[in-house]
Amino acid sequence: MKRYDLKYLVAAAALLLVNIPLCAHHGNASYDADNPVTIKGTVTEFAWTNPHVQIYLDVKDEKGKVVRWSV
């Protein structure tokens, strides 16, 4: 195998290895776009972490119990 071809093979393998964690980052969480949920609560924390922002809310459920939501 030529040295020239080996460089391209190594570069392609490196790109594939880097791509695996990037695909795993978002996962396959399912969302039900047909049944949205509206919540009303108190913002308890606003986390500015790269690459996403998380907002934490304390929301009262039907029984009056406070449940912490992360959006």
Side-chain angles (χ1 to χ4, degrees):
M1 183 178 254
K2 294 181 184 178
R3 188 170 186 87
Y4 179 76
D5 294 336
L6 186 60
K7 280 196 297 189
Y8 285 116
L9 182 63
V10 169
L15 286 174
L16 287 173
L17 288 174
V18 169
N19 191 32
I20 292 170
L22 294 177
C23 291
H25 169 76
H26 285 279
N28 61 351
S30 59
Y31 298 96
D32 189 357
D34 296 330
N35 297 309
V37 175
T38 302
I39 58 174
K40 185 176 180 180
T42 304
V43 176
T44 57
E45 186 178 347
F46 207 92
W48 287 91
T49 53
N50 208 9
H52 302 291
V53 174
Q54 285 292 115
I55 302 171
Y56 297 95
L57 299 123
D58 283 345
V59 179
K60 288 187 180 178
D61 64 9
E62 305 84 32
K63 298 176 184 174
K65 182 181 174 190
V66 175
V67 179
R68 190 164 199 205
W69 282 68
S70 171
V71 294

Short mmCIF file of all heavy atoms in Angstrom, two decimals:
data_model
loop_
_atom_site.label_atom_id
_atom_site.label_comp_id
_atom_site.label_asym_id
_atom_site.label_seq_id
_atom_site.Cartn_x
_atom_site.Cartn_y
_atom_site.Cartn_z
N MET A 1 0.85 -1.18 0.00
CA MET A 1 0.00 0.00 0.00
C MET A 1 0.89 1.23 0.00
O MET A 1 1.85 1.32 0.75
CB MET A 1 -0.91 -0.02 1.22
CG MET A 1 -1.88 1.12 1.28
SD MET A 1 -2.97 1.03 2.71
CE MET A 1 -4.47 0.53 1.92
N LYS A 2 0.56 2.18 -0.81
CA LYS A 2 1.34 3.40 -0.88
C LYS A 2 1.15 4.22 0.40
O LYS A 2 0.11 4.17 1.04
CB LYS A 2 0.89 4.24 -2.07
CG LYS A 2 1.17 3.63 -3.41
CD LYS A 2 0.69 4.58 -4.49
CE LYS A 2 0.86 3.97 -5.84
NZ LYS A 2 0.36 4.86 -6.90
N ARG A 3 2.18 4.97 0.73
CA ARG A 3 2.11 5.84 1.91
C ARG A 3 1.01 6.89 1.73
O ARG A 3 0.34 7.28 2.68
CB ARG A 3 3.47 6.48 2.12
CG ARG A 3 3.59 7.25 3.40
CD ARG A 3 5.05 7.65 3.63
NE ARG A 3 5.22 8.25 4.90
CZ ARG A 3 5.45 7.63 6.04
NH1 ARG A 3 5.54 6.32 6.05
NH2 ARG A 3 5.59 8.27 7.16
N TYR A 4 0.81 7.35 0.51
CA TYR A 4 -0.21 8.33 0.18
C TYR A 4 -1.60 7.80 0.51
O TYR A 4 -2.42 8.49 1.12
CB TYR A 4 -0.07 8.68 -1.31
CG TYR A 4 -1.09 9.67 -1.83
CD1 TYR A 4 -0.96 11.02 -1.54
CD2 TYR A 4 -2.14 9.25 -2.61
CE1 TYR A 4 -1.87 11.93 -2.03
CE2 TYR A 4 -3.06 10.15 -3.10
CZ TYR A 4 -2.92 11.49 -2.81
OH TYR A 4 -3.83 12.39 -3.29
N ASP A 5 -1.88 6.56 0.16
CA ASP A 5 -3.17 5.95 0.45
C ASP A 5 -3.37 5.73 1.94
O ASP A 5 -4.48 5.84 2.45
CB ASP A 5 -3.29 4.61 -0.28
CG ASP A 5 -3.33 4.76 -1.79
OD1 ASP A 5 -3.71 5.85 -2.27
OD2 ASP A 5 -2.97 3.79 -2.48
N LEU A 6 -2.32 5.44 2.65
CA LEU A 6 -2.39 5.17 4.09
C LEU A 6 -2.80 6.43 4.85
O LEU A 6 -3.57 6.36 5.81
CB LEU A 6 -1.05 4.65 4.60
CG LEU A 6 -1.01 4.20 6.04
CD1 LEU A 6 -2.01 3.06 6.27
CD2 LEU A 6 0.38 3.75 6.42
N LYS A 7 -2.35 7.61 4.40
CA LYS A 7 -2.74 8.87 5.04
C LYS A 7 -4.25 9.06 4.97
O LYS A 7 -4.87 9.46 5.94
CB LYS A 7 -2.04 10.06 4.38
CG LYS A 7 -0.62 10.28 4.82
CD LYS A 7 -0.10 11.66 4.46
CE LYS A 7 -0.06 11.86 2.98
NZ LYS A 7 0.62 13.09 2.58
N TYR A 8 -4.82 8.79 3.81
CA TYR A 8 -6.27 8.96 3.65
C TYR A 8 -7.05 7.94 4.47
O TYR A 8 -8.10 8.25 5.03
CB TYR A 8 -6.67 8.88 2.18
CG TYR A 8 -6.31 10.12 1.41
CD1 TYR A 8 -5.38 10.07 0.38
CD2 TYR A 8 -6.87 11.35 1.73
CE1 TYR A 8 -5.03 11.21 -0.32
CE2 TYR A 8 -6.53 12.49 1.03
CZ TYR A 8 -5.60 12.42 0.01
OH TYR A 8 -5.27 13.54 -0.67
N LEU A 9 -6.54 6.74 4.56
CA LEU A 9 -7.19 5.70 5.36
C LEU A 9 -7.18 6.08 6.84
O LEU A 9 -8.20 5.96 7.53
CB LEU A 9 -6.50 4.35 5.14
CG LEU A 9 -7.09 3.17 5.87
CD1 LEU A 9 -8.51 2.90 5.40
CD2 LEU A 9 -6.22 1.94 5.67
N VAL A 10 -6.06 6.56 7.33
CA VAL A 10 -5.95 6.97 8.73
C VAL A 10 -6.85 8.18 9.00
O VAL A 10 -7.53 8.25 10.03
CB VAL A 10 -4.47 7.28 9.10
CG1 VAL A 10 -4.38 7.95 10.46
CG2 VAL A 10 -3.65 6.01 9.06
N ALA A 11 -6.90 9.14 8.07
CA ALA A 11 -7.76 10.32 8.25
C ALA A 11 -9.23 9.92 8.28
O ALA A 11 -10.00 10.42 9.10
CB ALA A 11 -7.50 11.32 7.13
N ALA A 12 -9.64 9.02 7.40
CA ALA A 12 -11.04 8.56 7.38
C ALA A 12 -11.39 7.83 8.67
O ALA A 12 -12.47 8.03 9.23
CB ALA A 12 -11.27 7.67 6.17
N ALA A 13 -10.49 6.99 9.15
CA ALA A 13 -10.74 6.26 10.40
C ALA A 13 -10.85 7.24 11.58
O ALA A 13 -11.71 7.08 12.45
CB ALA A 13 -9.63 5.25 10.65
N ALA A 14 -10.02 8.27 11.60
CA ALA A 14 -10.07 9.25 12.67
C ALA A 14 -11.39 10.02 12.65
O ALA A 14 -12.00 10.26 13.70
CB ALA A 14 -8.89 10.22 12.55
N LEU A 15 -11.87 10.39 11.48
CA LEU A 15 -13.15 11.08 11.38
C LEU A 15 -14.30 10.21 11.85
O LEU A 15 -15.22 10.68 12.52
CB LEU A 15 -13.39 11.54 9.94
CG LEU A 15 -12.57 12.74 9.48
CD1 LEU A 15 -12.80 13.01 8.00
CD2 LEU A 15 -12.91 13.97 10.30
N LEU A 16 -14.26 8.94 11.53
CA LEU A 16 -15.31 8.03 11.98
C LEU A 16 -15.30 7.88 13.50
O LEU A 16 -16.35 7.85 14.14
CB LEU A 16 -15.16 6.67 11.32
CG LEU A 16 -15.54 6.61 9.84
CD1 LEU A 16 -15.19 5.25 9.25
CD2 LEU A 16 -17.02 6.90 9.64
N LEU A 17 -14.11 7.79 14.08
CA LEU A 17 -14.02 7.65 15.53
C LEU A 17 -14.49 8.91 16.25
O LEU A 17 -15.10 8.83 17.32
CB LEU A 17 -12.59 7.31 15.94
CG LEU A 17 -12.13 5.90 15.61
CD1 LEU A 17 -10.65 5.74 15.93
CD2 LEU A 17 -12.95 4.87 16.37
N VAL A 18 -14.23 10.08 15.69
CA VAL A 18 -14.68 11.33 16.29
C VAL A 18 -16.19 11.46 16.16
O VAL A 18 -16.86 12.00 17.04
CB VAL A 18 -13.97 12.53 15.62
CG1 VAL A 18 -14.60 13.84 16.01
CG2 VAL A 18 -12.50 12.53 15.99
N ASN A 19 -16.77 10.95 15.10
CA ASN A 19 -18.20 11.08 14.84
C ASN A 19 -19.05 10.25 15.81
O ASN A 19 -20.17 10.62 16.11
CB ASN A 19 -18.50 10.68 13.40
CG ASN A 19 -19.91 11.05 13.00
OD1 ASN A 19 -20.45 12.04 13.47
ND2 ASN A 19 -20.50 10.26 12.14
N ILE A 20 -18.54 9.16 16.32
CA ILE A 20 -19.33 8.28 17.20
C ILE A 20 -19.83 9.02 18.44
O ILE A 20 -21.02 9.00 18.74
CB ILE A 20 -18.54 7.01 17.55
CG1 ILE A 20 -18.38 6.15 16.30
CG2 ILE A 20 -19.22 6.23 18.67
CD1 ILE A 20 -17.42 5.00 16.45
N PRO A 21 -18.97 9.73 19.20
CA PRO A 21 -19.49 10.46 20.37
C PRO A 21 -20.44 11.59 19.99
O PRO A 21 -21.35 11.92 20.74
CB PRO A 21 -18.25 11.02 21.05
CG PRO A 21 -17.10 10.32 20.46
CD PRO A 21 -17.51 9.77 19.15
N LEU A 22 -20.24 12.21 18.85
CA LEU A 22 -21.12 13.29 18.43
C LEU A 22 -22.53 12.78 18.17
O LEU A 22 -23.51 13.44 18.49
CB LEU A 22 -20.57 13.98 17.17
CG LEU A 22 -19.26 14.73 17.37
CD1 LEU A 22 -18.77 15.30 16.04
CD2 LEU A 22 -19.41 15.83 18.39
N CYS A 23 -22.66 11.61 17.58
CA CYS A 23 -23.99 11.03 17.35
C CYS A 23 -24.64 10.64 18.67
O CYS A 23 -25.84 10.75 18.83
CB CYS A 23 -23.88 9.82 16.44
SG CYS A 23 -23.41 10.23 14.75
N ALA A 24 -23.86 10.19 19.61
CA ALA A 24 -24.40 9.76 20.90
C ALA A 24 -24.84 10.95 21.76
O ALA A 24 -25.63 10.78 22.68
CB ALA A 24 -23.36 8.94 21.65
N HIS A 25 -24.36 12.11 21.45
CA HIS A 25 -24.66 13.30 22.25
C HIS A 25 -26.16 13.54 22.38
O HIS A 25 -26.67 13.81 23.46
CB HIS A 25 -23.97 14.51 21.63
CG HIS A 25 -24.41 15.80 22.21
ND1 HIS A 25 -23.99 16.25 23.43
CD2 HIS A 25 -25.26 16.74 21.75
CE1 HIS A 25 -24.55 17.40 23.69
NE2 HIS A 25 -25.32 17.74 22.70
N HIS A 26 -26.90 13.44 21.30
CA HIS A 26 -28.32 13.74 21.34
C HIS A 26 -29.18 12.53 21.64
O HIS A 26 -30.33 12.67 22.00
CB HIS A 26 -28.77 14.39 20.03
CG HIS A 26 -28.33 15.81 19.95
ND1 HIS A 26 -29.00 16.82 20.57
CD2 HIS A 26 -27.26 16.38 19.37
CE1 HIS A 26 -28.38 17.95 20.37
NE2 HIS A 26 -27.32 17.72 19.64
N GLY A 27 -28.65 11.35 21.50
CA GLY A 27 -29.40 10.15 21.84
C GLY A 27 -30.65 9.98 21.00
O GLY A 27 -30.81 10.58 19.95
N ASN A 28 -31.54 9.16 21.49
CA ASN A 28 -32.78 8.91 20.75
C ASN A 28 -34.01 9.12 21.64
O ASN A 28 -34.94 8.36 21.61
CB ASN A 28 -32.77 7.49 20.16
CG ASN A 28 -32.68 6.43 21.23
OD1 ASN A 28 -32.46 6.74 22.40
ND2 ASN A 28 -32.84 5.18 20.86
N ALA A 29 -33.94 10.17 22.46
CA ALA A 29 -35.08 10.47 23.33
C ALA A 29 -36.31 10.76 22.47
O ALA A 29 -36.24 11.43 21.46
CB ALA A 29 -34.76 11.67 24.21
N SER A 30 -37.42 10.23 22.89
CA SER A 30 -38.64 10.42 22.10
C SER A 30 -39.48 11.55 22.71
O SER A 30 -39.55 11.72 23.92
CB SER A 30 -39.45 9.13 22.06
OG SER A 30 -39.79 8.73 23.36
N TYR A 31 -40.07 12.32 21.84
CA TYR A 31 -40.94 13.41 22.24
C TYR A 31 -42.31 13.19 21.61
O TYR A 31 -42.41 12.76 20.48
CB TYR A 31 -40.37 14.75 21.77
CG TYR A 31 -39.03 15.05 22.38
CD1 TYR A 31 -37.85 14.75 21.71
CD2 TYR A 31 -38.94 15.62 23.64
CE1 TYR A 31 -36.62 15.01 22.28
CE2 TYR A 31 -37.71 15.89 24.21
CZ TYR A 31 -36.56 15.58 23.52
OH TYR A 31 -35.35 15.84 24.08
N ASP A 32 -43.36 13.49 22.36
CA ASP A 32 -44.72 13.32 21.85
C ASP A 32 -45.23 14.67 21.38
O ASP A 32 -45.80 15.44 22.15
CB ASP A 32 -45.60 12.74 22.95
CG ASP A 32 -46.96 12.33 22.44
OD1 ASP A 32 -47.25 12.55 21.24
OD2 ASP A 32 -47.75 11.79 23.23
N ALA A 33 -44.99 14.97 20.12
CA ALA A 33 -45.38 16.26 19.56
C ALA A 33 -46.89 16.40 19.44
O ALA A 33 -47.41 17.52 19.32
CB ALA A 33 -44.73 16.45 18.19
N ASP A 34 -47.62 15.29 19.49
CA ASP A 34 -49.08 15.34 19.37
C ASP A 34 -49.77 15.70 20.68
O ASP A 34 -50.93 16.09 20.69
CB ASP A 34 -49.61 14.00 18.86
CG ASP A 34 -49.12 13.69 17.46
OD1 ASP A 34 -48.90 14.65 16.68
OD2 ASP A 34 -48.96 12.50 17.15
N ASN A 35 -49.09 15.51 21.81
CA ASN A 35 -49.68 15.77 23.12
C ASN A 35 -48.76 16.67 23.95
O ASN A 35 -48.12 16.21 24.90
CB ASN A 35 -49.93 14.45 23.86
CG ASN A 35 -50.92 13.58 23.14
OD1 ASN A 35 -52.00 14.04 22.79
ND2 ASN A 35 -50.56 12.33 22.89
N PRO A 36 -48.72 17.97 23.64
CA PRO A 36 -47.85 18.86 24.42
C PRO A 36 -48.36 19.03 25.85
O PRO A 36 -49.55 18.88 26.12
CB PRO A 36 -47.91 20.18 23.66
CG PRO A 36 -49.18 20.13 22.88
CD PRO A 36 -49.44 18.68 22.59
N VAL A 37 -47.45 19.32 26.75
CA VAL A 37 -47.77 19.52 28.16
C VAL A 37 -47.41 20.96 28.52
O VAL A 37 -46.33 21.43 28.20
CB VAL A 37 -46.97 18.54 29.05
CG1 VAL A 37 -47.20 18.83 30.51
CG2 VAL A 37 -47.32 17.11 28.71
N THR A 38 -48.34 21.65 29.16
CA THR A 38 -48.08 23.01 29.63
C THR A 38 -47.85 22.95 31.13
O THR A 38 -48.65 22.36 31.86
CB THR A 38 -49.27 23.92 29.31
OG1 THR A 38 -49.50 23.91 27.90
CG2 THR A 38 -49.00 25.35 29.77
N ILE A 39 -46.74 23.54 31.58
CA ILE A 39 -46.45 23.55 33.01
C ILE A 39 -46.28 25.00 33.45
O ILE A 39 -45.92 25.88 32.68
CB ILE A 39 -45.18 22.73 33.36
CG1 ILE A 39 -43.96 23.26 32.58
CG2 ILE A 39 -45.39 21.26 33.09
CD1 ILE A 39 -42.66 22.62 32.98
N LYS A 40 -46.59 25.24 34.72
CA LYS A 40 -46.44 26.56 35.32
C LYS A 40 -45.80 26.35 36.67
O LYS A 40 -46.27 25.56 37.48
CB LYS A 40 -47.80 27.23 35.47
CG LYS A 40 -47.73 28.65 35.96
CD LYS A 40 -49.12 29.27 35.98
CE LYS A 40 -49.05 30.70 36.47
NZ LYS A 40 -50.38 31.31 36.50
N GLY A 41 -44.68 27.04 36.89
CA GLY A 41 -43.98 26.84 38.15
C GLY A 41 -42.98 27.95 38.40
O GLY A 41 -42.96 28.96 37.72
N THR A 42 -42.14 27.71 39.38
CA THR A 42 -41.13 28.66 39.79
C THR A 42 -39.77 28.19 39.28
O THR A 42 -39.38 27.05 39.51
CB THR A 42 -41.08 28.76 41.33
OG1 THR A 42 -42.38 29.11 41.80
CG2 THR A 42 -40.08 29.80 41.78
N VAL A 43 -39.07 29.08 38.59
CA VAL A 43 -37.72 28.76 38.12
C VAL A 43 -36.80 28.70 39.33
O VAL A 43 -36.69 29.67 40.09
CB VAL A 43 -37.22 29.79 37.08
CG1 VAL A 43 -35.78 29.50 36.68
CG2 VAL A 43 -38.12 29.80 35.86
N THR A 44 -36.13 27.56 39.52
CA THR A 44 -35.24 27.40 40.66
C THR A 44 -33.77 27.46 40.27
O THR A 44 -32.92 27.76 41.10
CB THR A 44 -35.50 26.06 41.37
OG1 THR A 44 -35.34 25.00 40.43
CG2 THR A 44 -36.89 26.02 41.97
N GLU A 45 -33.49 27.16 39.00
CA GLU A 45 -32.10 27.18 38.56
C GLU A 45 -32.05 27.39 37.05
O GLU A 45 -32.91 26.90 36.32
CB GLU A 45 -31.43 25.84 38.92
CG GLU A 45 -29.95 25.80 38.63
CD GLU A 45 -29.33 24.46 39.04
OE1 GLU A 45 -29.97 23.68 39.75
OE2 GLU A 45 -28.20 24.23 38.61
N PHE A 46 -31.05 28.14 36.63
CA PHE A 46 -30.81 28.39 35.21
C PHE A 46 -29.36 28.03 34.95
O PHE A 46 -28.46 28.76 35.37
CB PHE A 46 -31.07 29.86 34.90
CG PHE A 46 -31.49 30.12 33.49
CD1 PHE A 46 -32.82 30.16 33.15
CD2 PHE A 46 -30.55 30.33 32.50
CE1 PHE A 46 -33.23 30.41 31.86
CE2 PHE A 46 -30.94 30.59 31.21
CZ PHE A 46 -32.28 30.62 30.88
N ALA A 47 -29.10 26.88 34.33
CA ALA A 47 -27.73 26.40 34.14
C ALA A 47 -27.24 26.71 32.73
O ALA A 47 -27.73 26.15 31.76
CB ALA A 47 -27.68 24.89 34.41
N TRP A 48 -26.26 27.59 32.64
CA TRP A 48 -25.65 27.94 31.36
C TRP A 48 -24.44 27.03 31.17
O TRP A 48 -23.32 27.38 31.51
CB TRP A 48 -25.19 29.39 31.36
CG TRP A 48 -26.29 30.37 31.29
CD1 TRP A 48 -26.94 30.92 32.34
CD2 TRP A 48 -26.88 30.90 30.11
NE1 TRP A 48 -27.91 31.77 31.89
CE2 TRP A 48 -27.90 31.78 30.52
CE3 TRP A 48 -26.67 30.72 28.75
CZ2 TRP A 48 -28.69 32.48 29.62
CZ3 TRP A 48 -27.46 31.41 27.86
CH2 TRP A 48 -28.44 32.28 28.30
N THR A 49 -24.68 25.84 30.65
CA THR A 49 -23.58 24.91 30.40
C THR A 49 -23.54 24.59 28.92
O THR A 49 -24.56 24.37 28.29
CB THR A 49 -23.77 23.61 31.20
OG1 THR A 49 -25.06 23.07 30.93
CG2 THR A 49 -23.63 23.85 32.68
N ASN A 50 -22.35 24.59 28.39
CA ASN A 50 -22.16 24.33 26.98
C ASN A 50 -22.36 22.85 26.70
O ASN A 50 -21.88 22.03 27.47
CB ASN A 50 -20.74 24.75 26.59
CG ASN A 50 -20.63 25.16 25.15
OD1 ASN A 50 -21.61 25.30 24.47
ND2 ASN A 50 -19.41 25.36 24.72
N PRO A 51 -23.07 22.42 25.71
CA PRO A 51 -23.63 23.16 24.60
C PRO A 51 -25.12 23.48 24.78
O PRO A 51 -25.73 24.01 23.86
CB PRO A 51 -23.46 22.19 23.44
CG PRO A 51 -23.68 20.86 24.05
CD PRO A 51 -23.08 20.97 25.43
N HIS A 52 -25.72 23.18 25.92
CA HIS A 52 -27.15 23.40 26.09
C HIS A 52 -27.43 24.15 27.39
O HIS A 52 -26.67 24.06 28.34
CB HIS A 52 -27.92 22.07 26.13
CG HIS A 52 -27.73 21.24 24.91
ND1 HIS A 52 -28.24 21.59 23.69
CD2 HIS A 52 -27.08 20.08 24.73
CE1 HIS A 52 -27.91 20.67 22.80
NE2 HIS A 52 -27.20 19.75 23.40
N VAL A 53 -28.54 24.85 27.41
CA VAL A 53 -29.01 25.53 28.62
C VAL A 53 -30.08 24.65 29.26
O VAL A 53 -30.91 24.08 28.58
CB VAL A 53 -29.60 26.91 28.26
CG1 VAL A 53 -30.21 27.57 29.48
CG2 VAL A 53 -28.52 27.79 27.66
N GLN A 54 -30.05 24.51 30.57
CA GLN A 54 -31.07 23.77 31.31
C GLN A 54 -31.79 24.73 32.23
O GLN A 54 -31.15 25.54 32.92
CB GLN A 54 -30.44 22.67 32.15
CG GLN A 54 -29.97 21.45 31.39
CD GLN A 54 -31.12 20.67 30.80
OE1 GLN A 54 -31.23 20.59 29.61
NE2 GLN A 54 -31.96 20.11 31.61
N ILE A 55 -33.11 24.64 32.25
CA ILE A 55 -33.93 25.44 33.17
C ILE A 55 -34.65 24.45 34.08
O ILE A 55 -35.27 23.50 33.61
CB ILE A 55 -34.94 26.30 32.40
CG1 ILE A 55 -34.21 27.23 31.43
CG2 ILE A 55 -35.80 27.10 33.38
CD1 ILE A 55 -35.13 27.97 30.49
N TYR A 56 -34.53 24.67 35.39
CA TYR A 56 -35.18 23.80 36.36
C TYR A 56 -36.33 24.56 37.00
O TYR A 56 -36.19 25.72 37.39
CB TYR A 56 -34.17 23.36 37.43
CG TYR A 56 -33.05 22.53 36.85
CD1 TYR A 56 -31.85 23.12 36.49
CD2 TYR A 56 -33.19 21.16 36.65
CE1 TYR A 56 -30.82 22.38 35.95
CE2 TYR A 56 -32.17 20.41 36.12
CZ TYR A 56 -30.98 21.03 35.77
OH TYR A 56 -29.97 20.27 35.23
N LEU A 57 -37.48 23.89 37.08
CA LEU A 57 -38.69 24.50 37.64
C LEU A 57 -39.26 23.62 38.73
O LEU A 57 -39.23 22.39 38.63
CB LEU A 57 -39.76 24.66 36.55
CG LEU A 57 -39.42 25.52 35.37
CD1 LEU A 57 -39.55 24.72 34.10
CD2 LEU A 57 -40.37 26.67 35.34
N ASP A 58 -39.83 24.25 39.76
CA ASP A 58 -40.62 23.55 40.75
C ASP A 58 -42.08 23.72 40.36
O ASP A 58 -42.59 24.85 40.33
CB ASP A 58 -40.37 24.09 42.16
CG ASP A 58 -39.06 23.60 42.74
OD1 ASP A 58 -38.50 22.62 42.20
OD2 ASP A 58 -38.60 24.18 43.73
N VAL A 59 -42.75 22.61 40.06
CA VAL A 59 -44.13 22.64 39.57
C VAL A 59 -44.98 21.80 40.51
O VAL A 59 -44.60 20.70 40.90
CB VAL A 59 -44.21 22.05 38.13
CG1 VAL A 59 -45.63 22.05 37.62
CG2 VAL A 59 -43.29 22.81 37.19
N LYS A 60 -46.16 22.32 40.89
CA LYS A 60 -47.08 21.55 41.72
C LYS A 60 -47.90 20.62 40.85
O LYS A 60 -48.46 21.04 39.84
CB LYS A 60 -47.99 22.49 42.51
CG LYS A 60 -47.28 23.21 43.62
CD LYS A 60 -48.25 24.00 44.47
CE LYS A 60 -47.50 24.71 45.57
NZ LYS A 60 -48.39 25.51 46.40
N ASP A 61 -47.98 19.35 41.25
CA ASP A 61 -48.81 18.40 40.51
C ASP A 61 -50.26 18.47 40.99
O ASP A 61 -50.62 19.34 41.79
CB ASP A 61 -48.25 16.97 40.60
CG ASP A 61 -48.25 16.41 42.01
OD1 ASP A 61 -48.84 17.03 42.92
OD2 ASP A 61 -47.68 15.32 42.21
N GLU A 62 -51.10 17.56 40.51
CA GLU A 62 -52.53 17.57 40.85
C GLU A 62 -52.79 17.43 42.34
O GLU A 62 -53.79 17.91 42.86
CB GLU A 62 -53.27 16.43 40.12
CG GLU A 62 -53.10 16.40 38.63
CD GLU A 62 -51.83 15.68 38.20
OE1 GLU A 62 -51.37 14.72 38.86
OE2 GLU A 62 -51.26 16.09 37.18
N LYS A 63 -51.89 16.75 43.06
CA LYS A 63 -52.06 16.52 44.50
C LYS A 63 -51.41 17.62 45.34
O LYS A 63 -51.43 17.53 46.57
CB LYS A 63 -51.45 15.17 44.87
CG LYS A 63 -52.12 14.01 44.17
CD LYS A 63 -51.44 12.71 44.50
CE LYS A 63 -52.07 11.56 43.72
NZ LYS A 63 -51.33 10.31 43.90
N GLY A 64 -50.80 18.61 44.70
CA GLY A 64 -50.18 19.69 45.43
C GLY A 64 -48.72 19.44 45.78
O GLY A 64 -48.07 20.27 46.40
N LYS A 65 -48.20 18.27 45.38
CA LYS A 65 -46.82 17.94 45.65
C LYS A 65 -45.93 18.66 44.64
O LYS A 65 -46.22 18.73 43.46
CB LYS A 65 -46.61 16.43 45.53
CG LYS A 65 -45.22 15.97 45.83
CD LYS A 65 -45.09 14.47 45.66
CE LYS A 65 -43.64 14.06 45.83
NZ LYS A 65 -43.42 12.67 45.45
N VAL A 66 -44.81 19.21 45.11
CA VAL A 66 -43.87 19.93 44.24
C VAL A 66 -42.98 18.92 43.52
O VAL A 66 -42.35 18.07 44.15
CB VAL A 66 -43.03 20.94 45.03
CG1 VAL A 66 -41.98 21.60 44.15
CG2 VAL A 66 -43.92 21.99 45.66
N VAL A 67 -42.96 19.05 42.21
CA VAL A 67 -42.15 18.15 41.37
C VAL A 67 -41.16 19.02 40.61
O VAL A 67 -41.52 20.08 40.07
CB VAL A 67 -43.03 17.37 40.37
CG1 VAL A 67 -42.20 16.47 39.50
CG2 VAL A 67 -44.09 16.58 41.11
N ARG A 68 -39.90 18.60 40.55
CA ARG A 68 -38.88 19.38 39.84
C ARG A 68 -38.82 18.94 38.38
O ARG A 68 -38.65 17.76 38.07
CB ARG A 68 -37.52 19.17 40.48
CG ARG A 68 -36.49 20.14 39.94
CD ARG A 68 -35.28 20.22 40.82
NE ARG A 68 -34.55 21.43 40.52
CZ ARG A 68 -33.27 21.56 40.73
NH1 ARG A 68 -32.59 20.59 41.28
NH2 ARG A 68 -32.67 22.69 40.42
N TRP A 69 -38.98 19.90 37.49
CA TRP A 69 -38.92 19.66 36.04
C TRP A 69 -37.63 20.24 35.50
O TRP A 69 -37.16 21.28 35.98
CB TRP A 69 -40.09 20.34 35.33
CG TRP A 69 -41.40 19.63 35.43
CD1 TRP A 69 -42.16 19.46 36.53
CD2 TRP A 69 -42.11 19.01 34.36
NE1 TRP A 69 -43.31 18.78 36.23
CE2 TRP A 69 -43.30 18.49 34.89
CE3 TRP A 69 -41.86 18.85 33.01
CZ2 TRP A 69 -44.22 17.81 34.12
CZ3 TRP A 69 -42.79 18.17 32.23
CH2 TRP A 69 -43.94 17.65 32.80
N SER A 70 -37.09 19.61 34.48
CA SER A 70 -35.92 20.11 33.78
C SER A 70 -36.30 20.30 32.31
O SER A 70 -36.79 19.37 31.67
CB SER A 70 -34.78 19.10 33.91
OG SER A 70 -33.71 19.47 33.08
N VAL A 71 -36.10 21.51 31.82
CA VAL A 71 -36.43 21.78 30.41
C VAL A 71 -35.25 22.44 29.74
O VAL A 71 -34.38 22.98 30.37
CB VAL A 71 -37.67 22.69 30.28
CG1 VAL A 71 -38.89 21.96 30.78
CG2 VAL A 71 -37.50 23.99 31.02
#
